[in-house]
Amino acid sequence: MKQMSLHVVGANHPNADGGNRRFETLLCVPGEPIELIPEPKNPADPNAIAVFSSRNVQIGYLTADRAPWIGGMLRNGRPIEAIFQAATPAGAAIRIGFDGDHPVLPPADATRATPPDPATVEFWPDEIYPDD
């Protein structure tokens, strides 16, 4: 399986049309298609890759460390398919599949502890000592 998750940043910046990236990110549903658009004329970074929701609203950019790599693949015609994975504090996470591999959401975080069932927990209260 040729897949990976990538961060999307810049959610707090407004879009050129005044659209709210953070709000659009909250409308995204895990698994919905995402479009990656290279911006070679971006004055801040010619390697910038804009990330758009399925409603064609920008939700941010790929991080500066990954954008040149992904941009090179896009320029060379390598097939890349992206889906929305989750909203994050910095913006979002997307899942990318390479070379015709359809991206699949990773399983839910298995490291999160689930609270124990109260019916199965033995509770022994501290002894109560009488006041002298």
Side-chain angles (χ1 to χ4, degrees):
M1 193 167 10
K2 297 178 183 179
Q3 299 187 15
M4 70 183 310
S5 295
L6 296 174
H7 290 285
V8 177
V9 295
N12 291 333
H13 296 282
N15 287 328
D17 65 0
N20 186 311
R21 294 177 185 174
R22 179 87 49 198
F23 181 75
E24 182 63 23
T25 299
L26 294 175
L27 294 177
C28 292
V29 177
E32 82 175 44
I34 291 292
E35 189 172 0
L36 305 176
I37 308 287
E39 290 186 349
K41 295 182 181 180
N42 185 310
D45 181 1
N47 293 311
I49 305 289
V51 180
F52 284 81
S53 71
S54 62
R55 288 164 295 285
N56 203 30
V57 176
Q58 186 176 2
I59 62 172
Y61 287 92
L62 292 184
T63 58
D65 62 329
R66 294 294 186 179
W69 181 56
I70 297 295
M73 287 187 231
L74 291 170
R75 281 190 302 280
N76 291 326
R78 188 168 176 188
I80 295 177
E81 185 180 340
I83 60 173
F84 183 81
Q85 185 171 329
T88 66
I94 61 172
R95 188 81 176 165
I96 294 182
F98 302 98
D99 302 325
D101 196 6
H102 299 292
V104 177
L105 295 172
D109 187 359
T111 61
R112 286 189 194 156
T114 54
D117 179 7
T120 64
V121 176
E122 293 186 27
F123 177 72
W124 301 98
D126 293 336
E127 283 191 45
I128 300 175
Y129 296 98
D131 292 335
D132 288 337

